[in-house]
Amino acid sequence: MDNRQLIMTAIDHIEDNLHQPLSVRSLSLFTGYSIYHFIRLFQGVTGLTPGDYIARRKITEAVRDILGKPCRSLLDISLDYSFRDYETFVRTFKRLLHTTPSRIRQKNNSELPLLLHRLCSHDLQQWTTQYTSPPQTVELGEIKLQGIQVTLNDDPSIINTAWRQLEGNMMSIPDRVLPEKFYQLGYWPDDYEDNRIVFLCGCELKDSIFTPISSPFLPNSSQSLLNMTIHTLPPASYLKFLHKGRSAEISATYKYIYGVFLPKTDHRLTLPYEFEFYGKDYLGPDNPLSISEIYIPISLL
């Protein structure tokens, strides 16, 4: 079963359990992915995050019941779809449909709001891209990184700010490899909520006496005395992709990875991170000739 089929299996599982509590974490466990890569792959294949798909499908079926079961109370319908309380039900309605359950029942809307019907295999995303370079499979040993950690919500400029902060504090990292090797590490934390992704903008460290503590996110992580986070990535096998062009355009390469390449494979991505490396061919974020490297972990060594 390739990854595209596996995402379809996850969708079937959602559809069979719309009346039950559903979490993104339980779905990632069901499919055998880390939550980080399950979210990325689900969105690459469907165009929606799994949390958004679950919410929109529950609300869509609730609308059917509001219109088709006039004797059933709005509170009971909200409980039918496992909303923890009526207020949450109403807030979700407003967020997704820009209306309320009572207005739907009263038919005060000039037209029925846009609903999400069950996705079938032929509905899944078919990205068109001219990306032609196949990835390499590489093995890397342990990598220690130190840098500025930020949580991204809706403002991507926070990443640029983190890089500037790192540049200003570079001389305060005595154990850094010289010449410097720069990385951008990304992952969703275990307490995933909405689309909050955590980034570490950092440089590679030499072997040192520093001993990280256990972390739920990566095998080892801690705060350093310099108020910069240190992460240790485990020895692992990776798929190495190249992004050619400006850093602002790298999302197209990620769309290829998660929307085109990985769905056709049977790789099970169980490690909760990925990273970009900026080596000798990286000529700066705005240079169209820059080449940055994207590493997707596929297994521990």
Side-chain angles (χ1 to χ4, degrees), residues 241-288:
F241 296 83
L242 299 180
H243 168 69
K244 300 178 181 180
R246 297 178 177 88
S247 294
E249 300 165 350
I250 201 168
S251 62
T253 302
Y254 278 107
K255 285 180 180 179
Y256 166 79
I257 293 170
Y258 288 100
V260 177
F261 180 82
L262 286 174
K264 296 177 181 178
T265 75
D266 58 1
H267 291 300
R268 295 295 176 264
L269 310 176
T270 58
L271 300 175
Y273 66 91
E274 65 198 16
F275 66 84
E276 297 166 22
F277 172 67
Y278 310 106
K280 61 181 178 61
D281 295 323
Y282 185 73
L283 306 176
D286 298 318
N287 192 314

Side-chain angles (χ1 to χ4, degrees), residues 90-298:
V90 173
R91 283 198 304 271
T92 306
F93 246 88
K94 289 180 177 178
R95 178 172 65 86
L96 297 180
L97 303 182
H98 308 292
T99 188
T100 63
S102 58
R103 286 195 66 199
I104 292 289
R105 174 152 282 177
Q106 294 164 8
K107 299 182 180 178
N108 287 338
N109 300 68
S110 58
E111 59 184 47
L112 197 64
L114 181 65
L115 303 175
L116 177 66
H117 303 288
R118 177 180 182 145
L119 289 182
C120 299
S121 182
H122 62 267
D123 298 319
L124 301 185
Q125 291 277 5
Q126 296 287 347
W127 295 107
T128 56
T129 178
Q130 299 304 309
Y131 190 101
T132 56
S133 299
Q136 293 178 277
T137 300
V138 299
E139 295 183 352
L140 299 178
E142 181 180 273
I143 303 171
K144 278 186 181 177
L145 304 176
Q146 182 171 6
I148 305 295
Q149 181 169 289
V150 294
T151 300
L152 177 65
N153 290 315
D154 299 318
D155 182 10
S157 69
I158 193 173
I159 297 177
N160 293 332
T161 301
W163 278 114
R164 288 196 297 270
Q165 290 175 346
L166 177 67
E167 183 180 7
N169 288 278
M170 189 63 62
M171 301 306 293
S172 301
I173 308 176
D175 290 334
R176 70 189 187 281
V177 171
L178 295 175
E180 289 87 355
K181 295 183 177 180
F182 295 102
Y183 296 72
Q184 183 170 291
L185 171 70
Y187 57 93
W188 267 281
D190 274 353
D191 57 348
Y192 163 78
E193 182 180 353
D194 299 324
N195 283 322
R196 298 175 59 201
I197 184 172
V198 178
F199 285 98
L200 177 78
C201 302
C203 59
E204 186 172 346
L205 299 180
K206 307 171 190 174
D207 289 336
S208 68
I209 61 172
F210 173 80
T211 302
I213 62 173
S214 177
S215 166
F217 307 149
L218 299 170
N220 289 300
S221 140
S222 182
Q223 287 294 119
S224 74
L225 296 177
L226 301 173
N227 198 31
M228 286 192 284
T229 301
I230 296 177
H231 280 300
T232 301
L233 306 183
S237 293
Y238 295 85
L239 293 175
K240 172 187 172 183
F241 296 83
L242 299 180
H243 168 69
K244 300 178 181 180
R246 297 178 177 88
S247 294
E249 300 165 350
I250 201 168
S251 62
T253 302
Y254 278 107
K255 285 180 180 179
Y256 166 79
I257 293 170
Y258 288 100
V260 177
F261 180 82
L262 286 174
K264 296 177 181 178
T265 75
D266 58 1
H267 291 300
R268 295 295 176 264
L269 310 176
T270 58
L271 300 175
Y273 66 91
E274 65 198 16
F275 66 84
E276 297 166 22
F277 172 67
Y278 310 106
K280 61 181 178 61
D281 295 323
Y282 185 73
L283 306 176
D286 298 318
N287 192 314
L289 301 179
S290 269
I291 297 177
S292 49
E293 302 172 8
I294 298 173
Y295 289 82
I296 311 296
I298 51 178

